[in-house]
Amino acid sequence: MAKKYERIADELRQHIRAGQLKPGERLPAETTLAKQYKTSVPTMRDALGELLAEGLIDKRHGVGNFVRKPPQRVERTNERHQWEKDRARAARNEREKTGATEHDTGLTASDLVFKARYRETKADEDLAAAFAVPVGTRLLERVYRTYPRDGDAAFSLVCSHLVHDVVAANPDLLDESNEPWPGATQSQLHTIGIELDHIVERVTARPPTSEEAEELGLQKGVSVIVLRKISIDTEGRVVDVSDVIMPGDRTELVFTTRLERW
């Protein structure tokens, strides 16, 4: 049998989802809600804590509890890679129309704020094994953040690594001021004659670090989805290793598997 705070949380949850409590609306004070539900204030706080952990409400200390505006959901499919490859050889004006985030969210470029930071680094044991290069090999590290223009929580935290000496064949690929690059990584690699053959993605989940929770705007108890994307070219070389950290409360991973017919 559900505990009392769980029954209260469920009723409030239904009010929110039915639109009876609207985004941005302030909930009554905890003492008022406790009287309304004929319970104690600690029990009421437990109920509100459930909604807070689910991301349905925000608690503003000293102000109160508010119904949270539903965050923008992201649908990431494995078909996005072929979509990106098909665009790699397209004209620049065609590639500029829609980026990967717009593709995954349905938003437009004017709805987004994009940030990129590059630096040179060296391969540790993990990345050296992924690239099949010696430890200490020079890498180009690229950190990407994309935010909704009307919000301060990133859609995801992306850290991409390329072998420095490979991409240095085109100096433009070493300059973060050229971001956002129309067509993204596959278009960048195309400028140095690299065509991707396949991409391997490994997905896990874990609790976020405090920094990740802050950047992604996560409530307590929400996990992150961790995706490692390994891109292999037509010669069998690993040319890009990207780690993508996504909020578990608003990211849906969709995998479509084409099966050969009998």
Side-chain angles (χ1 to χ4, degrees), residues 2-262:
K3 296 179 180 178
K4 188 168 186 178
Y5 79 87
E6 292 174 329
R7 296 196 299 273
I8 295 171
D10 187 55
E11 186 172 331
L12 288 170
R13 186 183 296 113
Q14 291 180 35
H15 290 330
I16 292 172
R17 290 175 176 167
Q20 295 167 321
L21 293 171
K22 302 186 183 305
E25 183 177 341
R26 181 178 177 178
L27 299 181
E30 292 173 353
T31 51
T32 302
L33 285 171
K35 290 179 182 177
Q36 179 181 331
Y37 284 93
K38 298 181 174 58
T39 191
S40 66
V41 171
T43 297
M44 195 67 235
R45 285 176 180 161
D46 287 342
L48 293 172
E50 291 283 299
L51 303 181
L52 185 67
E54 294 170 22
L56 292 175
I57 65 172
D58 285 321
K59 184 177 183 65
R60 303 176 194 171
H61 294 287
V63 181
N65 295 293
F66 294 78
V67 178
R68 189 181 185 194
K69 178 183 176 183
Q72 175 69 46
R73 294 193 64 80
V74 176
E75 180 183 278
R76 183 185 177 106
T77 79
N78 56 338
E79 294 178 330
R80 77 200 303 265
H81 307 309
Q82 185 62 53
W83 176 78
E84 289 182 2
K85 183 170 183 176
D86 291 342
R87 298 168 71 242
R89 294 182 295 173
R92 182 184 179 93
N93 63 342
E94 180 64 27
R95 288 182 278 121
E96 285 178 333
K97 290 180 182 177
T98 307
T101 302
E102 296 97 291
H103 178 270
D104 292 347
T105 63
L107 298 175
T108 65
S110 61
D111 297 322
L112 305 171
V113 176
F114 178 84
K115 298 180 180 179
R117 187 181 74 250
Y118 286 16
R119 74 182 181 106
E120 185 179 319
T121 186
K122 294 182 179 180
D124 59 14
E125 290 187 1
D126 174 42
L127 288 170
F131 279 107
V133 297
V135 171
T137 297
R138 283 201 305 168
L139 302 177
L140 177 66
E141 178 183 274
R142 309 178 304 169
V143 175
Y144 298 119
R145 302 287 185 269
T146 305
Y147 304 83
R149 190 167 295 280
D150 61 353
D152 55 6
F155 287 111
S156 62
L157 312 178
V158 182
C159 184
S160 163
H161 288 94
L162 307 169
V163 175
H164 188 281
D165 290 349
V166 172
V167 294
N170 180 359
D172 286 345
L173 301 185
L174 303 176
D175 186 355
E176 66 184 39
S177 68
N178 289 320
E179 294 283 4
W181 189 286
T185 298
Q186 290 205 50
S187 292
Q188 291 172 314
L189 294 174
H190 176 59
T191 69
I192 52 175
I194 292 177
E195 175 188 356
L196 295 191
D197 177 75
H198 64 283
I199 293 171
V200 177
E201 295 180 293
R202 299 180 182 276
V203 182
T204 57
R206 60 168 171 76
T209 65
S210 57
E211 293 82 3
E212 291 166 350
E214 182 177 358
E215 282 199 80
L216 294 171
L218 299 180
Q219 299 292 342
K220 184 177 180 181
V222 177
S223 296
V224 291
I225 300 169
V226 182
L227 181 148
R228 168 157 284 193
K229 184 182 75 161
I230 302 173
S231 300
I232 297 97
D233 73 0
T234 54
E235 297 179 4
R237 294 181 303 170
V238 172
V239 291
D240 177 33
V241 177
S242 294
D243 292 305
V244 186
I245 299 172
M246 298 168 282
D249 62 346
R250 52 189 184 273
T251 303
E252 181 178 10
L253 302 181
V254 180
F255 301 101
T256 301
T257 303
R258 306 294 179 188
L259 302 179
E260 292 185 9
R261 296 190 179 187
W262 289 333

